[in-house]
Amino acid sequence: MIERFKSNAEAIAAADKYLYGNHARMPIVMDKGEGCWVWDLDGNKYLDFVGGIAVNGLGHHHPAIVKALDRAKDMMHCSNYYYNEPAIQVCKMICENSCFDKVFFANSGAEANEGQIKLARKYAKDHGHPERYVVISMLKSFHGRTLATATATGQEIVHNPKWFSPLPEGFRYAEFNNLESVKAQMGDDVCAILTEPVQGEGGVRPASQEFLQGLRDLCDEKGILLMFDEVQVGSGRTGKLFAHQNYGVEPDTCSMAKALGSGVPIGAVCARGEAALTLTPGTHGSTFAGGPLACGLAEATLDTMLHEGVMDNAVKVGEYFRAKLTELSGKHPGTITEVRGMGMINGAELKDNEIGPKIVQKCFEKKVLINCTAGNVLRFIPPLIVTEEEVDIVVKAIDEAMTELGY
Ligand SMILES: *Cc1c(COP(=O)(O)O)cnc(C)c1O
């Protein structure tokens, strides 16, 4: 019999003893959630604008997800030796609502991106270019924590030579939103360009129209693949199923993950044209990926997002949110240097790296959960069902935090 922990303190004491310390955590133990709100083991209630890092797109305890979980009881897993209906339905829904022809599954964002990288290398070889294997990715990007995706991630900090070297070969970096910088990295050895249409971890930075269109033209000219990483900004977050649909620029492949399964681990790679034919039996696969549990939840997630006004809400409340943040920046002159975002991924850039963590801590004390990324950007990725009243609560908490901190 497991004896349940009765308080945050009791659970965290056990965690300190047994849980590996590779994550820095706030000192609360999450117990349950409802919509945009969560409760800890002591019964404290918090407004959640982290949303499981953009995973809880429909919020906590959404009735459609609860229903899908119930259905999944009949079959949790069956392997990829066989078909299962939820997996087929998810692929159908994605393809019918995008430029893509086919979808394959993974278990996480990193694994989906790893799949894209493998696909790009094989695509080059299939098309008579064995010399092409380099992927150009962007500085300030984030693509995951596996060796290849950590290498694709354009941040010095994850390439620390004292950590995991030697890193896999075949990656070069260019400046985001700078087409000339990408062209400077181009060569006969390049098989693909990989970018997020809106950088998430890098500080909520939307690509410019010219940049994404320029990448598309460049890839067409060279006969190489354009690959988007929409692990964070896909699945409805920007008000469309895919962020790139806001630009009208179609990649050859695109990854999804975070919000796709409403909390159950799932990743997906969507592909079109020739890129949808590259991975054949034996070249790529997975034991767990595309199973009925994960796909059953993804099916319910997408169905709800596409048909229940969730993405429209993300657009409407997102606009309201940015207006409120802009108002706030006027109230604390010089503290917020820029407000950026698209739909329900929004950020407020701060004047330096000291303020962010202090504001996050102050808000935490006010029982409002937010996060700071890229050192100085407050990032807001709440459930897409968030209301204007909930936005008001968060903006008020930040306002008070800034005043208390003397900004
Ligand atoms: C979170 C994230 C990943 C990694 O996803 P995991 O599921 O943590 O492996 C990759 N790319 C982007 C853009 C992300 O935001």
Side-chain angles (χ1 to χ4, degrees):
M1 266 292 278
I2 293 174
E3 228 181 280
R4 295 289 158 201
F5 301 121
K6 288 175 197 66
S7 66
N8 286 333
E10 193 191 339
I12 291 170
D16 285 346
K17 188 158 178 213
Y18 299 111
L19 190 57
Y20 206 107
N22 62 318
H23 287 281
R25 300 173 203 266
M26 293 296 217
I28 54 171
V29 182
M30 292 289 192
D31 190 33
K32 59 177 187 181
E34 189 70 46
C36 296
W37 299 83
V38 292
W39 285 259
D40 70 13
L41 264 189
D42 293 349
N44 296 305
K45 183 183 178 184
Y46 303 81
L47 181 53
D48 180 12
F49 268 45
V50 176
I53 320 184
V55 167
N56 301 112
L58 296 178
H60 302 276
H61 201 237
H62 191 284
I65 298 305
V66 174
K67 200 168 143 207
L69 263 176
D70 199 50
R71 180 178 173 219
K73 282 187 204 150
D74 292 344
M75 178 169 280
M76 307 281 275
H77 179 73
C78 63
S79 96
N80 281 306
Y81 288 144
Y82 313 99
Y83 296 96
N84 72 80
E85 178 174 357
I88 304 166
Q89 295 286 4
V90 171
C91 298
K92 180 168 180 273
M93 242 185 295
I94 291 173
C95 293
E96 286 179 351
N97 288 282
S98 70
C99 63
F100 300 111
D101 298 318
K102 306 259 188 192
V103 179
F104 67 87
F105 291 104
N107 301 291
S108 67
E111 206 188 293
N113 286 330
E114 188 97 12
Q116 293 200 95
I117 295 164
K118 286 175 70 179
L119 191 158
R121 287 187 173 189
K122 183 164 182 295
Y123 178 94
K125 288 175 178 62
D126 286 355
H127 290 79
H129 291 287
E131 76 285 3
R132 294 179 181 173
Y133 67 98
V134 170
V135 172
I136 300 178
S137 61
M138 304 305 139
L139 295 169
K140 296 198 168 97
S141 61
F142 184 81
H143 298 300
R145 296 284 187 180
T146 64
L147 276 171
T149 58
T151 308
T153 293
Q155 299 181 44
E156 284 293 311
I157 182 161
V158 299
H159 300 163
N160 187 335
K162 292 191 182 138
W163 289 356
F164 313 120
S165 59
L167 295 176
E169 253 188 85
F171 295 91
R172 288 203 295 268
Y173 313 96
E175 242 175 69
F176 187 66
N177 274 343
N178 181 342
L179 197 57
E180 289 313 309
S181 159
V182 178
K183 286 181 180 164
Q185 296 301 327
M186 193 49 69
D188 294 336
D189 56 357
V190 174
C191 68
I193 297 173
L194 171 65
T195 189
E196 299 153 83
V198 180
Q199 288 189 333
E201 304 301 303
V204 190
R205 293 168 204 280
S208 68
Q209 180 71 34
E210 301 69 47
F211 183 62
L212 288 194
Q213 188 59 54
L215 293 182
R216 181 67 274 172
D217 296 342
L218 186 59
C219 287
D220 288 344
E221 180 196 320
K222 302 282 181 194
I224 62 173
L225 296 185
L226 179 59
M227 312 194 295
F228 285 164
D229 176 347
E230 294 217 19
V231 166
Q232 186 158 159
V233 296
S235 313
R237 178 136 310 258
T238 66
K240 305 240 186 239
L241 181 56
F242 292 96
H244 66 256
Q245 292 172 330
N246 292 293
Y247 295 86
V249 175
E250 298 177 347
D252 298 287
T253 67
C254 183
S255 57
M256 307 173 81
K258 288 194 163 86
L260 182 58
S262 286
V264 77
I266 184 170
V269 176
C270 316
R272 68 184 181 96
E274 292 271 305
L277 307 170
T278 300
L279 296 175
T280 47
T283 60
H284 190 67
S286 164
T287 302
F288 290 116
L293 170 63
C295 289
L297 266 66
E299 182 191 284
T301 303
L302 292 179
D303 192 33
T304 307
M305 292 231 177
L306 288 166
H307 302 120
E308 306 210 353
V310 176
M311 296 191 284
D312 291 341
N313 187 69
V315 171
K316 181 175 135 287
V317 181
E319 241 165 63
Y320 177 81
F321 200 172
R322 286 188 294 282
K324 285 284 154 183
L325 289 171
T326 305
E327 220 176 280
L328 183 68
S329 75
K331 238 180 126 178
H332 301 270
T335 305
I336 295 177
T337 51
E338 194 178 14
V339 172
R340 293 188 291 262
M342 193 183 277
M344 203 39 74
I345 175 165
N346 293 295
E349 186 168 304
L350 305 166
K351 68 176 172 186
D352 63 47
N353 282 16
E354 263 168 43
I355 310 176
K358 287 192 204 160
I359 292 175
V360 170
Q361 178 61 32
K362 277 271 181 206
C363 286
F364 176 69
E365 288 160 16
K366 297 172 190 297
K367 305 214 162 32
V368 166
L369 306 180
I370 58 171
N371 139 283
C372 180
T373 189
N376 67 335
V377 181
L378 296 179
R379 176 181 48 171
F380 310 101
I381 37 181
L384 309 184
I385 54 163
V386 64
T387 63
E388 293 182 356
E389 291 71 31
E390 287 161 339
V391 166
D392 287 342
I393 296 171
V394 168
V395 173
K396 180 161 172 278
I398 299 168
D399 186 7
E400 287 173 6
M402 284 182 173
T403 302
E404 286 162 30
L405 291 163
Y407 295 118

